[in-house]
């Protein structure tokens, strides 16, 4: 067929049809480098497919000549359009010629799976793929700067079993990647028209992997990363790979370091029963023996070194590649293959040096050609899953110590999870092991640690950013960073081993990326900044918001705070009060590293009451008459190790997230709770009438009743404006809310962070469970809806706090429909949340008006529409 190219026969002039990935690998394959052969479905095939589909689908009728008229700043519209297009593409029928071609490949290949890689090229504005045909050679091709800054994995690859239907679906899934919400956002932000994008698809056979990794060469020096199994583990940041620093000229291993590898990924294929939508890659745990071994045998390490030396001589002094070590039944020894190759940005292939066969050796294949589609695929055969332990090696011997660490051998880019937005360039301060002297961190530095506990807050007020190995978006590192208004990346596996104190790094909290900018032996700063990331100062002076209320909202918009310094950040913002005043974080400044119970035992409780009252008054006076909801302390033993004198902690709790915390602790230590209540009563004595109390992590009605009686005894209920709420974060409240109301609960605040982890059994501090707790799961949505409806029926207000509304903006639409009373978010999310509430309420009003005009009657607020 005209739209199929054999990877070993592609010519430089065919770049517009086959894209960067395929052309680079093709030229390596033609120079006899170890590259798995395969085929490329031309970029023309996609647009021919879209043209036919557009005849019956109006949404696709004007592609690729438009931006789809999507407002990428409207997340709801962007997601809806992206989903519609992808569903249309994935559900459409392929042309019979292309379908039969895929079927023939599936029948002839002996590999258990195939992988479909996107291979993108871009034409100049106003120029289509036809106009560029044959007019450029890759040696002279002008590639726009976009490809040096294109975010990694913005277009995903797909792995599938060797089944014709599965292969057809995978091809369409790669095509659909071009129209994902994140892709459309990127194209529009960089003024790239869809007609400029040519998406080819590289199809290659795939076997289960013994090992995989990367090789990067920067002039005379390079480093190799290696881990067990497929590259999924290091791509997700779940392992710290083995590292080898090499000297290119001599091939000497200058240094090596054993990584931290606990898991790997392999193929999960049962061709006779596997559904098309089932995941074809699964994780498996590595044995203790495997974790202690280097991944690469000496022979394969040497093979990578030889490849790098040859590439430096043949192609470019700087490049990067990805490699995989496969075991096939045809070969007794595992085969090392290059799976991706990228010359240094700005490097051009010398097309004149490419060995070109006579004209009859054309790369384009046609139906009925003497070259079988599966011929190249059958050159290797698959065996059973390799014994990973047998593929191991002894420790690498070199002219340096086994575990020497050299900064220049570590990667330039480490990815984690974006926990707080912003970009900052500063010097790293790494805290690891037992020495956790946070106070020693110099002002303006970037904290790098395994995790962050709340009691670190006083020492973090002057840091420029936070990076942690552990935790998810709702971990304390993220909460503290968002409160302080500094960038934060969490879940960056192995970051404390990769970075060293004193290195210059850039943290992009919005993308979850950490860039190593340069040390004496590292990468130059200019190389990073030239790729489009902007350097900024470590400290940015705060400016009051100039937000304009363009449309009033009925749903109250509250803000989460803990620091008096944050009060200036809400100036000019449309907030109706403080929905969550985090007491523990607020109190850390005044406790002098002593637990409240220790203040009581030392007889200094009155001093602590006055200190706490003065702190709270700063919030109540500033916000008056708007309410301030003070959530009483939720001390968790593992989070405040710096506080001495907690007599309830005699040994480490097995699971402190489910241990002695919340109101359960008040039963064991009522004196500390009484100190807080006395401070609240002091605030009322100052004349502040806008203070409310929320009890945290209430498990039973009996716990609440105990606390309510203490509140009554101190006299707080004598104040007519006082209200006593509970956090609805333990699933038992779904069954007990009517009983809580009878016992005196006057309102609830849904804590989505704890509610999510308890409903799904997923610790929110675990990065590998972020897919569960990182969004709003349907089960959580059902629980939230039930709580709102139960609160309405009981006649009490219902608020919501936590990250769910930020991670899933569409949730706000549902909350407004269900009848939420108020929504509380971090300061940085106030403006976006206000706009989302505005749109949700306007839609409700519009729908009610339409129903009324049709004589249907308006649906009450909170009902599904």
């Amino acid at each position: 067929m005209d739209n199929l190219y054999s990877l070993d026969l592609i010519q430089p002039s065919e770049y517009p049809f086959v894209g960067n990935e395929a052309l680079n690998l093709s030229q390596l394959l033609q120079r006899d480098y170890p590259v798995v052969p395969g085929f490329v479905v031309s970029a023309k095939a996609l647009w021919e497919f879209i043209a036919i589909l557009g005849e019956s689908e109006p949404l696709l009728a004007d592609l690729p000549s438009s931006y789809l008229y999507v407002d990428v700043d409207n997340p709801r519209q962007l997601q809806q359009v992206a989903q519609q297009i992808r569903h249309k593409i994935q559900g459409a029928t392929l042309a019979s010629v292309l379908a039969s071609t895929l079927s023939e490949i599936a029948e002839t290949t002996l590999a258990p799976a195939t992988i479909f890689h996107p291979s993108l090229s871009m034409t100049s504005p106003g120029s289509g793929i036809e106009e560029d045909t044959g007019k450029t050679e890759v040696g002279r091709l002008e590639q726009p700067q976009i490809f040096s800054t294109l975010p990694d994995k913005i277009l995903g690859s797909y792995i599938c079993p060797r089944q014709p239907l599965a292969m057809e679906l995978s091809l369409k899934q790669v095509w659909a990647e071009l129209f994902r919400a994140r892709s459309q956002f990127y194209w529009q932000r960089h003024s790239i028209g869809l007609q400029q994008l040519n998406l080819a698809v590289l199809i290659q056979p795939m076997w289960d992997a013994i090992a995989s990794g990367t090789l990067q060469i920067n002039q005379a020096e390079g480093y190799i990363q290696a881990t067990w199994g497929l590259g999924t583990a290091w791509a997700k940041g779940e392992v710290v790979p083995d590292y080898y620093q090499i000297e290119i000229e001599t091939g000497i291993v200058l240094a090596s370091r054993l990584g931290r590898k606990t898991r790997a990924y392999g193929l999960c294929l049962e061709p006779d029963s596997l559904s098309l939508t089932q995941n074809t890659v699964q994780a498996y745990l590595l044995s203790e023996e495997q974790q202690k071994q280097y991944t690469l045998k000496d022979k394969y390490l040497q093979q990578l070194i030889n490849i790098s030396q040859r590439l430096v001589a043949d192609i470019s002094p700087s490049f990067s590649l990805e490699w995989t070590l496969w075991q096939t039944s045809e070969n007794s020894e595992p085969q090392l293959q290059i799976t991706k190759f990228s010359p240094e940005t700005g490097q051009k292939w010398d097309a004149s040096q490419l060995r070109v066969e006579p004209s009859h050796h054309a790369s384009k294949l046609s139906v009925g050609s003497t070259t079988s589609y599966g011929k190249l695929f059958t050159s290797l055969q698959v065996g059973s899953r390799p014994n990973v332990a047998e593929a191991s090696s002894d420790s690498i011997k070199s002219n340096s110590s086994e575990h020497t660490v050299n900064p220049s051998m570590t990667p330039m880019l480490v990815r984690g999870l974006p926990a707080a937005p912003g970009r900052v360039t500063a010097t790293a301060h790494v805290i690891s092991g037992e020495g956790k002297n946070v106070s020693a961190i110099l002002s303006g530095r970037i904290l790098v640690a395994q995790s962050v506990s709340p009691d670190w807050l006083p020492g973090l007020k002057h840091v420029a950013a936070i990076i942690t190995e552990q935790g998810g978006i709702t971990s304390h590192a993220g909460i503290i960073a968002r409160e302080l208004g500094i960038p934060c990346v969490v879940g960056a596996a192995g970051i404390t081993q990769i970075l060293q104190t004193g290195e210059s790094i850039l943290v992009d909290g919005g993308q979850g990326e950490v860039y190593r900018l340069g040390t004496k032996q590292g990468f130059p700063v200019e190389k990073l900044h030239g790729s489009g990331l902007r350097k900024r100062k470590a400290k940015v002076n705060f400016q009051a918001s100039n937000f304009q209320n363009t449309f009033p909202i009925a749903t109250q918009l509250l803000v989460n705070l803990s620091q008096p310094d944050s009060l200036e950040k809400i100036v000019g913002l449309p907030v109706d009060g403080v929905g969550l005043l985090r007491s523990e974080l607020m109190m850390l400044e005044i406790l002098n590293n002593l637990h409240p119970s220790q203040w009581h035992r030392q007889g200094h409780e009155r001093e602590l009451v006055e200190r706490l009252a003065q702190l709270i008054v700063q919030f109540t006076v500033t916000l008056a008459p708007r309410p301030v909801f003070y959530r009483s302390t939720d001390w968790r033993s593992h989070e405040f190790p710096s506080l001495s004198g907690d007599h309830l902690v005699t040994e480490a709790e097995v699971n402190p997230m489910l241990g002695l915390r919340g109101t359960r602790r008040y039963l064991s230590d009522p004196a500390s709770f009484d100190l807080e209540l006395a401070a609240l009563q002091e605030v009322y004595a100052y004349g502040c009438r806008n203070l409310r109390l929320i009890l945290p992590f209430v498990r039973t009605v009996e716990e609440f009743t105990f606390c309510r009686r203490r509140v009554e005894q101190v006299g707080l209920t004598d104040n007519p404006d006082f209200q006593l709420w509970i956090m609805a974060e333990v699933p038992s409240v779904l069954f007990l809310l009517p009983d809580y109301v009878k016992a005196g609960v006057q309102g609830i605040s849904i804590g989505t962070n704890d509610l999510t982890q308890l409903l799904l059994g997923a610790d929110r501090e675990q990065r590998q469970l972020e897919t569960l707790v990182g969004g709003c799961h349907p089960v959580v949505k059902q629980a939230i809806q039930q709580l709102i409806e139960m609160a309405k029926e009981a006649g009490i207000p219902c608020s919501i706090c936590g990250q769910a509304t930020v991670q899933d903006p569409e949730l706000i639409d549902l909350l407004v429909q269900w009848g939420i009373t108020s929504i509380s978010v971090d300061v940085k999310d106030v403006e976006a949340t206000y706009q989302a509430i505005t749109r949700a309420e306007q839609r409700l009003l519009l729908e009610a008006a339409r129903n009324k005009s049709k004589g249907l009657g308006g649906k009450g607020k909170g009902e599904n529409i």
Side-chain angles (χ1 to χ4, degrees):
M1 59 175 290
D2 291 340
N3 287 330
L4 194 69
Y5 294 79
S6 177
L7 188 63
D8 66 333
L9 304 176
I10 294 172
Q11 301 301 304
S13 61
E14 293 166 329
Y15 161 77
F17 300 104
V18 300
N20 285 332
E21 298 282 343
L23 181 63
N24 289 340
L25 287 178
S26 173
Q27 297 196 48
L28 290 185
L29 183 59
Q30 294 181 56
R31 292 170 183 255
D32 297 322
Y33 283 91
V35 174
V36 177
F39 298 95
V40 180
V41 177
S42 167
K44 289 179 64 177
L46 169 60
W47 295 123
E48 291 174 0
F49 174 80
I50 292 293
I52 296 174
L53 189 58
E55 295 176 0
S56 57
E57 298 293 344
L59 183 62
L60 303 178
D62 59 351
L63 288 177
S65 59
S66 77
Y67 280 128
L68 298 169
Y69 310 107
V70 178
D71 178 8
V72 296
D73 293 316
N74 183 336
R76 181 181 178 84
Q77 183 192 60
L78 180 60
Q79 289 288 350
Q80 287 178 340
V81 171
Q83 289 177 4
Q84 289 181 37
I85 294 177
R86 293 174 66 202
H87 289 161
K88 297 295 184 185
I89 291 175
Q90 293 174 19
T93 302
L94 287 181
S96 58
V97 175
L98 183 53
S100 63
T101 299
L102 294 178
S103 179
E104 185 175 346
I105 292 175
E107 291 173 1
T108 54
T109 181
L110 296 179
T114 50
I115 184 167
F116 289 69
H117 289 293
S119 183
L120 195 65
S121 66
M122 191 169 83
T123 58
S124 57
S127 172
I129 191 171
E130 296 294 342
E131 285 76 1
D132 280 1
T133 304
K135 292 185 179 180
T136 57
E137 290 186 358
V138 84
R140 300 199 303 268
L141 188 66
E142 292 298 325
Q143 299 187 37
Q145 183 67 16
I146 182 68
F147 287 114
S148 64
T149 61
L150 185 67
D152 192 27
K153 307 302 182 185
I154 193 172
L155 301 177
S157 300
Y158 287 83
I159 301 171
C160 69
R162 58 171 194 271
Q163 297 177 352
L165 291 179
M167 294 176 66
E168 290 183 30
L169 177 60
S170 294
L171 175 62
K172 291 183 288 186
Q173 285 174 325
V174 175
W175 282 346
E177 288 284 302
L178 199 65
F179 307 100
R180 289 181 73 101
R182 65 187 182 193
S183 303
Q184 293 187 57
F185 182 89
Y186 189 83
W187 310 140
Q188 286 205 32
R189 278 289 182 267
H190 290 80
S191 301
I192 300 172
L194 290 176
Q195 70 275 14
Q196 295 176 248
L197 298 170
N198 304 318
L199 178 60
V201 181
L202 170 61
I203 308 172
Q204 292 175 293
M206 185 174 182
W207 296 263
D208 219 348
I210 296 174
S212 57
T214 62
L215 166 65
Q216 183 161 343
I217 303 300
N218 183 32
Q219 302 299 327
E221 214 169 51
Y223 67 83
I224 295 169
Q225 298 181 89
T227 192
W228 298 116
L230 296 170
T232 309
W234 54 261
K236 288 185 174 183
E238 296 176 349
V239 298
V240 179
D242 300 335
Y243 285 96
Y244 310 87
Q245 183 183 2
I246 58 177
E247 185 179 67
I248 299 302
E249 183 177 359
T250 63
I252 294 175
V253 179
L254 299 176
S256 62
R257 185 181 66 199
L258 184 67
R260 192 175 66 194
K261 312 176 295 292
T262 58
R263 61 191 298 159
Y265 285 81
L267 294 179
C268 175
L269 299 171
E270 296 179 6
D272 295 333
S273 60
L274 188 66
S275 67
L276 299 184
T277 58
Q278 185 174 332
N279 194 355
T280 54
V281 173
Q282 69 174 4
Y284 58 94
L285 296 178
L286 295 170
S287 67
E288 205 172 311
E289 180 184 2
Q290 291 167 292
Q291 295 178 35
K292 296 178 181 178
Q293 294 173 335
Y294 277 92
T295 308
L296 285 172
K297 283 185 177 180
D298 289 349
K299 62 178 294 185
Y300 299 114
L301 176 58
Q302 188 59 53
Q303 188 174 345
L304 282 171
I305 293 173
N306 294 341
I307 289 174
S308 66
Q309 291 175 323
R310 184 181 167 197
L311 285 170
V312 167
D314 290 352
I315 309 298
S316 169
S318 299
F319 61 84
S320 63
L321 62 81
E322 295 178 10
W323 57 267
T324 302
L325 187 63
W326 277 317
Q327 177 68 65
T328 66
S329 59
E330 187 177 79
N331 298 279
S332 58
E333 292 290 328
Q335 302 297 304
L336 192 147
Q337 301 286 334
I338 299 173
T339 55
K340 183 177 181 179
F341 179 77
S342 301
E344 181 183 32
T345 302
Q347 291 287 330
K348 301 294 190 294
W349 289 86
D350 185 356
S352 63
Q353 295 180 11
L354 178 64
R355 182 175 66 252
V356 180
E357 300 294 337
S359 58
H360 72 271
H361 202 56
S363 62
K364 214 177 284 187
L365 301 180
S366 60
V367 177
S369 168
T370 55
T371 303
S372 170
Y373 299 121
K375 181 178 179 180
L376 297 177
F377 276 27
T378 56
S379 61
L380 293 173
Q381 298 180 12
V382 67
S384 58
R385 173 184 284 279
N387 185 325
V388 182
E390 291 179 358
S392 180
S393 67
D394 296 329
S395 297
I396 300 298
K397 295 179 175 62
S398 66
N399 62 341
S400 65
S401 62
E402 180 183 78
H403 296 290
T404 299
V405 177
N406 189 316
S408 66
M409 69 183 285
T410 57
M412 183 177 180
L413 169 64
V414 177
R415 287 187 172 83
L417 297 171
R423 286 175 178 164
V424 63
T425 299
T427 302
H429 185 109
V430 181
I431 293 180
S432 60
E434 298 299 324
K436 297 183 179 180
N437 185 9
V438 184
S439 62
I441 303 176
L442 297 178
S443 178
R445 290 205 170 190
I446 296 173
L447 170 66
V448 183
Q450 289 184 341
S451 63
V452 166
S453 60
D455 62 338
W456 290 20
L457 177 58
L460 298 180
K461 290 192 173 183
H462 304 294
V463 303
I466 299 173
I467 310 169
T468 65
E469 289 186 349
Q470 303 170 3
I473 294 173
T474 58
S475 65
H476 287 292
I479 291 172
I480 290 172
R482 291 190 292 270
E483 172 80 17
L484 298 177
I486 59 177
C488 179
V489 175
V490 297
I495 193 71
T496 59
Q497 297 182 38
I498 294 172
L499 294 178
Q500 293 181 318
T501 295
E503 290 192 72
S504 178
I505 60 175
L506 183 148
V507 176
D508 188 336
Q511 297 294 324
E513 297 175 341
V514 180
Y515 291 85
R516 205 169 154 271
L517 298 184
T519 59
K520 189 173 183 181
Q521 298 176 326
F523 297 94
V525 174
E526 293 75 19
K527 190 168 183 177
L528 171 68
H529 293 163
S531 66
L533 288 175
R534 295 175 296 169
K535 183 177 180 180
R536 81 166 198 179
K537 295 180 180 179
K539 289 293 181 182
V540 179
N541 293 328
F542 173 78
Q543 295 182 347
S545 170
N546 58 359
F547 180 85
Q548 298 294 322
N549 292 10
T550 57
F551 192 90
I553 60 175
T555 307
Q556 286 189 323
L557 178 55
L558 308 176
V559 66
N560 305 326
L561 295 177
S562 71
Q563 303 301 299
D565 294 345
S566 298
L567 287 169
E568 64 179 3
K569 299 177 183 179
I570 64 175
V571 175
L573 290 177
V575 297
D576 296 306
V578 176
L580 182 66
L581 184 57
R582 297 186 178 99
S583 56
E584 315 87 21
L585 298 181
M586 182 182 65
M587 293 174 64
L588 288 174
E589 291 273 11
I590 63 173
L591 288 176
N592 294 341
N593 294 326
L594 297 177
H595 192 273
S597 62
Q598 183 72 355
W599 284 75
H600 172 71
R601 287 194 297 275
Q602 293 179 353
H604 300 312
E605 60 266 27
R606 188 60 203 167
E607 180 184 353
L608 181 57
V609 167
E610 291 178 356
R611 288 188 179 190
L612 180 56
Q614 290 172 7
L615 270 178
I616 300 173
V617 164
Q618 295 182 55
F619 293 92
T620 54
V621 170
T622 302
L623 273 295
R626 293 168 289 179
V628 173
F629 287 86
Y630 173 91
R631 188 196 65 188
S632 55
T633 52
D634 185 11
W635 301 111
R636 285 168 283 197
S637 59
H638 69 303
E639 295 175 345
F640 301 91
S642 66
L643 298 181
S644 62
D646 184 2
H647 66 285
L648 297 181
V649 179
T650 57
E651 58 184 15
E653 291 186 282
V654 175
N655 191 340
M657 293 296 285
L658 299 177
L660 192 62
R661 58 171 294 197
T663 54
R664 173 62 62 176
R665 174 180 271 269
Y666 301 167
L667 273 69
S668 303
D669 184 17
S672 295
F673 182 51
D674 290 343
L675 286 175
E676 288 186 85
L677 298 180
L680 300 186
Q681 179 65 2
E682 192 83 7
V683 173
Y684 270 94
Y686 289 149
C688 300
R689 298 287 181 262
N690 56 331
L691 182 63
R692 315 285 186 261
L693 173 61
I694 306 179
L695 301 174
F697 213 79
V698 184
R699 292 176 168 97
T700 66
V701 176
E702 290 74 20
E703 288 181 10
F704 170 77
T705 301
F706 172 85
C707 295
R708 191 207 67 214
R709 289 171 180 165
R710 311 294 292 196
V711 170
E712 292 171 345
Q713 290 172 6
V714 80
L716 279 169
T717 54
D718 296 337
N719 301 293
D721 298 312
F722 179 79
Q723 293 181 14
L724 180 59
W725 288 32
I726 64 170
M727 293 296 299
E729 52 194 352
V730 179
S732 60
V733 74
L734 291 164
F735 306 93
L736 298 174
L737 185 56
D739 297 322
Y740 279 119
V741 175
K742 290 178 183 178
V745 168
Q746 296 171 285
I748 62 173
S749 179
I750 303 173
T752 60
N753 294 348
D754 269 324
L755 182 64
T756 298
Q757 71 169 350
L758 293 177
L759 283 171
L760 299 176
D763 187 348
R764 60 187 169 111
E765 297 288 336
Q766 298 297 318
R767 188 237 192 272
Q768 59 266 36
L769 298 178
E770 186 62 30
T771 53
L772 277 178
V773 299
C776 200
H777 192 279
V779 168
V780 180
K781 289 182 180 179
Q782 291 181 37
I784 292 172
Q785 181 179 8
Q786 180 178 331
L787 287 170
I788 295 172
E789 292 173 349
M790 293 173 70
K792 285 198 300 180
E793 185 176 348
I796 63 171
C798 179
S799 183
I800 189 169
C801 59
Q803 286 299 108
T805 56
V806 177
Q807 295 169 345
D808 185 2
E810 292 186 7
L811 178 61
I812 293 178
D813 268 356
L814 297 174
L815 293 173
V816 172
Q817 291 177 28
W818 296 333
I820 195 75
T821 307
S822 58
I823 299 174
S824 190
V825 297
D826 293 335
V827 176
K828 69 177 183 62
D829 300 312
V830 166
E831 295 187 27
T833 304
Y834 186 95
Q835 298 293 354
I837 294 174
T838 298
R839 290 192 293 267
E841 292 187 349
Q842 286 178 325
R843 277 192 285 269
L844 273 179
L845 293 173
L846 179 60
E847 187 67 23
R850 287 173 175 170
N851 289 337
K852 184 176 181 180
S853 66
K854 295 177 182 178
L856 300 177
K859 290 192 176 183
K861 184 176 180 180
E863 296 180 34
N864 290 316
I865 293 178

